[in-house]
Amino acid sequence: MRTWRKLSRLAAVGTVAACLAVSGASAAVAGQSAAALTCGGNVFLDGLRALEITENGHDEVYINTSTGVRVWPATADYVSIAVNQRVEVDKCVAPNAVLYLWEEDTLDVDDYLGAVAIDGDRTKDYFFAGGPGLYRIGAVA
Ligand SMILES: [Ca+2]
Ligand SMILES: [Ca+2]
């Protein structure tokens, strides 16, 4: 059963982080899906995988909104990630959220790695490919 599978998957990634408060979030809550229960009708961002990184060893990545509000990570400036590594995101965002992936540099301005527009309340993989590097993020409806 689809809903049950989603619940299992959500349980597998651990505690669901507090939902990101986004004004004007879509009211398109169809039934009582797992996402509706855990994300209040928003979309659950599952994990981020580095398919190609931009630096030697590790990238230091974070996700912002278009206006520079931090989406992830919540308790650090960035998350250090190696090529092919996957890190948990565990965030709820609006079904129409636009996410910007950045790579932190200490001495230079941070590198823009691309943006994705969440395409509604659906389970889908998105790719940050607008700059150097290639990252995949999974959304779970
Ligand atoms: Ca860099
Ligand atoms: Ca860096």
Side-chain angles (χ1 to χ4, degrees):
M1 189 174 172
R2 193 159 171 261
T3 301
W4 183 243
R5 197 183 72 221
K6 282 192 272 188
L7 281 170
S8 302
R9 186 163 183 199
L10 289 173
V13 298
T15 309
V16 175
C19 290
L20 183 72
V22 177
S23 61
S26 168
V29 179
Q32 289 295 310
S33 70
L37 292 172
T38 57
C39 280
N42 290 336
V43 176
F44 181 74
L45 298 178
D46 189 1
L48 178 72
R49 185 176 295 277
L51 301 173
E52 297 172 15
I53 63 173
T54 68
E55 298 188 340
N56 289 327
H58 293 79
D59 278 353
E60 295 79 35
V61 294
Y62 60 91
I63 296 172
N64 275 2
T65 68
S66 62
T67 55
V69 175
R70 183 62 49 91
V71 174
W72 172 88
T75 57
D77 289 342
Y78 56 80
V79 170
S80 183
I81 187 169
V83 70
N84 292 324
Q85 186 182 353
R86 179 187 181 280
V87 294
E88 298 293 344
V89 175
D90 294 353
K91 290 292 293 187
C92 297
V93 297
N96 60 354
V98 181
L99 308 173
Y100 291 76
L101 185 68
W102 291 89
E103 201 279 318
E104 168 137 333
D105 285 334
T106 306
L107 300 178
D108 296 322
V109 290
D110 294 353
D111 299 315
Y112 169 70
L113 301 186
V116 299
I118 299 301
D119 185 20
D121 186 12
R122 67 184 73 188
T123 297
K124 180 175 176 179
D125 284 339
Y126 298 89
F127 293 87
F128 293 101
L134 180 63
Y135 282 78
R136 182 178 69 217
I137 192 165
V140 181

